[in-house]
């Protein structure tokens, strides 16, 4: 019963704390609402279709009867109209029945559907959500070194059910997002996938091979692969010899190739994927590489946990979160008390319990919890962190400590605890940690940041910096 109450409270708080539009892709719980919205719209749309079908059936029945009558009448028009009843019915049909059919044809059966759609549209995802979701797929692709075709066909680790696949149009749109970000590496990967699916016979009403080849050749050119760009441009011109831009591009590529030496070295350098670092310093790049390796399980020490372990040895965050205050619900009080009992630390100066749900590719890049000393809060810096896993995750979503190369797999009902500060009060750089992108599933976690004030006699100060 307590578990049900806890889940219900968290869900209600997360759903009510968001604005009308607030980055749907960052939270699985938020996107769950969209599924039920779409189901409601589908019901409305099917009702509209049934109403239209009924209307068309009425019109068809009347037209079929009239067709038989008209065929007989036009064989002997004078003889037919010589009968006064026939003459009357002809006049009546043209004056009344055709007008009724006109009204039926023009009647709008979509009023309810359009009204329902208008109401829901204000809460629909927007272009930023679509862009964010596309970037999330590319982030998963890089972090877990996934083949583009595996993503497109839905063959992801841990995805034994609910497997989805991407159409040519989907792949093209992801490539377009990369193009808008000047990310020619991912643009190339997704345009190649779109072209592959077209070559395999998949059709699309919105994307053709000429358009894909245009984008793909440009992405290759931007990465210094002039020879491949030229080959694809020639293929484009085979499909459409009148394409003026492709003709100019062909001449340009041929000219560049004739005058350029060492193009292969340049292309090899350009082909290397770049890590999205959000303008972080260069010395942070090794941390990002370590982070992605740990997320993939490379060279990692997995913690063998019972319930709790102590690990002492932005676009930055993609999630939705809510804060649960003390005394708002009995379950919150019980959670706080249990943390205090297990850690031996005072919760009176700790921050409220934070609950987070990670969405498509949801992650939190490497960071420290303790924060800068000169910006410490009223109750001091965050001396320790308690992280509770509230759900299992089919694939991805591990918590990794980049400096000590430790990874913790999220398992429902377990927790990890660590001190962010040495006993001396100095920040422990070994506690740099990150949340790996969620590959498959929905990740729910809650965390408690515990502050220095109140811990004076529970964790006594050390005399040396690293005590």
């Amino acid at each position: 019963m307590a578990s049900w109450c806890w889940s219900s409270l968290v869900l209600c708080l997360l759903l009510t704390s968001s604005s009308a539009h607030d980055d749907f892709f960052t939270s699985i719980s938020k996107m769950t609402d969209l599924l039920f919205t779409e189901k409601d719209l589908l019901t409305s749309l099917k009702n509209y279709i049934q109403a239209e079908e009924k209307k068309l059936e009425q019109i068809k029945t009347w037209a079929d009867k009239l067709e038989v009558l008209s065929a007989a009448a036009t064989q002997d028009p004078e003889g037919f109209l010589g009968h006064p009843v026939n003459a009357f019915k002809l006049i009546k049909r043209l004056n009344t029945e055709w007008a009724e059919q006109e009204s039926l044809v023009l009647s709008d059966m979509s009023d309810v559907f359009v009204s329902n759609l208008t109401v829901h549209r204000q809460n629909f995802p927007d272009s930023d959500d679509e862009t964010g979701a596309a970037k999330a797929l590319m982030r998963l692709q890089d972090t877990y070194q996934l083949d583009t075709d595996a993503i497109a066909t839905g063959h992801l680790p841990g995805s034994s059910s609910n497997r989805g696949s991407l159409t040519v149009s989907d792949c093209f749109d992801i490539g377009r997002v990369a193009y808008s970000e000047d990310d020619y590496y991912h643009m190339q990967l997704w345009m190649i996938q779109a072209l592959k699916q077209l070559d395999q016979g998949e059709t699309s009403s919105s994307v053709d091979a000429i358009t894909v080849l245009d984008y793909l050749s440009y992405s290759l050119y931007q990465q210094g692969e002039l020879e491949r760009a030229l080959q694809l441009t020639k293929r484009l011109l085979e499909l459409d010899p009148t394409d003026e831009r492709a003709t100019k591009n062909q001449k340009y590529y041929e000219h560049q190739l004739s005058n350029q030496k060492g193009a292969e070295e340049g292309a090899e350098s350009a082909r290397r994927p770049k890590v999205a670092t959000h303008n972080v310093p260069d010395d942070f790049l090794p941390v990002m590489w370590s982070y992605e390796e740990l997320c993939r399980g490379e060279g990692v020490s997995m913690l063998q946990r019972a319930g709790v372990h102590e690990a002492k040895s932005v676009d930055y965050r993609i999630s939705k979160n809510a804060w649960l205050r003390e005394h708002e619900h009995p379950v919150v009080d019980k959670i706080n008390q249990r943390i205090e009992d297990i850690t031996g630390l005072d919760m009176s100066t700790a921050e409220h319990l934070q609950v987070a749900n990670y969405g498509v590719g949801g992650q939190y890049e490497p960071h420290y919890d303790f924060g800068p000393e000169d910006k410490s809060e009223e109750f001091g810096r965050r001396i320790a962190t308690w992280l509770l896993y509230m759900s299992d995750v089919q694939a991805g979503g591990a918590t990794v400590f980049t400096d000590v190369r430790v990874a913790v797999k999220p398992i429902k009902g377990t927790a990890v605890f660590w001190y962010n500060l040495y006993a001396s009060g100095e920040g422990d750089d070994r506690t740099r940690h990150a949340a790996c992108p969620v590959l498959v599933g929905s990740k729910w976690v809650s965390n408690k940041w515990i502050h220095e004030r109140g811990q004076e006699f529970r964790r006594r100060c050390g005399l040396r910096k690293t005590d």
Side-chain angles (χ1 to χ4, degrees):
M1 183 64 178
S3 176
W4 179 87
C5 294
W6 167 251
S7 300
S8 299
L9 174 65
V10 170
L11 184 59
C12 288
L13 284 172
L14 279 175
L15 297 183
T16 57
S17 64
S18 300
S19 59
H21 175 76
D22 191 14
D23 295 340
F24 286 97
F25 74 96
T26 63
S27 170
I28 293 296
S29 70
K30 189 66 177 175
M31 287 189 291
T32 300
D33 291 348
L34 297 180
L35 285 177
F36 289 100
T37 296
E38 189 171 50
K39 181 180 179 181
D40 182 44
L41 287 174
L42 177 60
T43 300
S44 180
L45 178 60
K46 292 187 73 173
N47 289 337
Y48 160 67
I49 293 172
Q50 290 175 354
E52 286 286 354
E53 289 176 340
K54 182 178 180 180
K55 180 179 76 173
L56 289 173
E57 187 60 34
Q58 288 180 270
I59 297 171
K60 183 177 182 299
T61 300
W62 185 82
D64 288 344
K65 291 180 179 178
L66 184 58
E67 183 179 29
V68 174
L69 178 63
S70 178
T74 53
Q75 289 181 356
D76 181 12
E78 289 188 5
F80 179 81
L81 291 174
H83 195 295
V85 172
N86 291 339
F88 168 77
K89 290 178 67 68
L90 174 61
I91 293 172
K92 182 178 182 294
R93 281 198 304 274
L94 291 172
N95 182 57
T96 303
E97 293 184 25
W98 275 101
E100 291 173 349
Q101 296 305 312
E102 180 184 25
S103 297
L104 186 56
V105 169
L106 296 177
S107 62
D108 189 356
M109 314 302 290
S110 66
D111 284 350
V112 174
F113 168 66
V114 172
S115 176
N116 199 20
L117 181 61
T118 302
V119 169
H120 285 300
R121 190 187 299 277
Q122 59 185 333
N123 295 318
F124 277 11
D126 60 16
S127 57
D128 289 339
D129 280 299
E130 186 172 344
T131 297
K135 288 182 179 179
L137 285 179
M138 290 183 273
R139 181 166 58 251
L140 292 173
Q141 183 176 17
D142 288 346
T143 302
Y144 296 107
Q145 296 184 344
L146 300 173
D147 182 71
T148 311
D149 188 69
I151 300 176
T153 56
H155 288 80
L156 303 177
S159 60
S160 57
S161 61
N162 298 321
R163 182 180 297 161
S165 60
L166 298 174
T167 65
V168 167
S169 178
D170 294 332
C171 296
F172 177 77
D173 288 341
I174 295 172
R176 282 283 300 271
V177 169
Y179 167 74
S180 68
E181 299 285 320
D182 295 331
D183 179 358
Y184 302 111
Y185 169 72
H186 287 104
M187 176 184 173
Q188 171 190 341
L189 294 179
W190 286 100
M191 291 302 172
I192 287 176
Q193 182 64 31
L195 186 63
K196 175 183 176 180
Q197 292 180 208
L198 285 171
D199 289 343
Q200 290 175 343
E202 184 179 336
T203 59
S204 171
S205 60
S206 58
V207 181
D208 56 28
I210 293 174
T211 305
V212 175
L213 285 166
D214 188 22
Y215 275 92
L216 180 53
S217 60
Y218 180 72
S219 70
L220 292 168
Y221 160 69
Q222 286 290 342
Q223 297 179 90
E225 298 191 42
L226 289 173
E227 186 63 45
R228 291 183 65 194
L230 176 60
Q231 292 173 0
L232 291 174
T233 301
K234 288 180 178 180
R235 179 179 171 183
L236 190 161
L237 286 170
E238 290 176 359
L239 297 174
D240 183 8
T242 65
D243 192 309
E244 295 182 2
R245 182 170 61 180
T247 301
K248 292 179 181 179
N249 286 343
Q250 178 181 354
K251 293 179 180 178
Y252 176 75
Y253 296 154
E254 289 173 341
H255 176 72
Q256 288 290 98
L257 282 170
S258 65
N259 296 320
Q260 182 176 322
K261 294 181 179 180
E264 291 185 359
E265 289 84 355
E268 182 62 31
S269 174
R271 276 197 295 269
R272 294 171 187 161
K274 298 180 179 179
V275 178
T277 57
H278 309 287
N279 299 317
V280 298
D282 289 341
D283 60 0
F284 194 60
L285 287 175
V287 176
M288 290 298 299
W289 294 330
S290 176
Y291 159 61
E292 293 189 349
E293 288 174 355
L294 291 170
C295 289
R296 292 192 294 270
E298 298 173 2
V300 62
S301 301
M302 297 300 293
L303 293 186
Q304 301 299 320
R305 295 168 299 141
V308 181
H309 268 273
E310 175 180 322
K312 290 173 51 181
S313 22
V314 215
D315 287 333
Y316 282 74
R317 188 175 192 177
I318 310 297
S319 65
K320 279 285 192 302
N321 68 290
W323 296 91
L324 305 183
R325 298 176 180 274
E326 292 75 10
H327 313 302
E328 286 186 330
H329 195 282
V331 174
V332 180
D333 278 333
K334 289 180 180 179
I335 292 291
N336 289 333
Q337 185 59 54
R338 182 166 295 185
I339 296 173
E340 180 166 336
D341 293 341
I342 293 174
T343 65
L345 297 177
D346 186 355
M347 297 295 112
S348 63
T349 60
E351 296 177 45
H352 300 303
L353 192 68
Q354 181 182 217
V355 177
N357 177 233
Y358 290 81
V360 180
Q363 65 167 1
Y364 197 167
E365 291 182 359
H367 64 284
Y368 302 106
D369 280 353
F370 51 74
E373 189 172 6
D374 59 347
K375 294 183 179 179
S376 60
E377 300 186 16
E378 177 185 359
F379 299 117
R381 303 166 87 186
R382 293 168 175 168
I383 190 174
T385 297
W386 171 277
L387 180 63
L388 172 66
Y389 299 108
M390 300 164 58
S391 67
D392 295 320
V393 179
Q394 288 97 309
T399 303
V400 298
F401 293 81
T402 55
D403 289 50
V404 296
R405 300 193 67 79
V406 166
V408 183
K409 179 180 173 59
I411 300 176
K412 183 178 180 179
T414 63
V416 59
F417 168 76
W418 66 91
Y419 284 107
N420 296 304
L421 306 177
Y422 288 109
S424 63
E426 296 286 340
D428 188 345
D429 292 339
R430 297 173 300 174
T431 63
R432 180 156 47 191
H433 61 286
C436 295
V438 176
L439 182 56
V440 178
S442 178
K443 180 182 177 183
W444 286 88
V445 297
S446 61
N447 65 276
K448 191 78 171 176
W449 283 311
I450 306 167
H451 285 259
E452 293 177 288
R453 187 70 58 81
Q455 319 305 337
E456 292 84 353
F457 297 102
R458 300 194 179 210
R459 192 194 191 216
R460 296 181 181 277
C461 293
L463 299 179
R464 294 177 301 177
K465 180 178 179 179
T466 58
D467 280 349

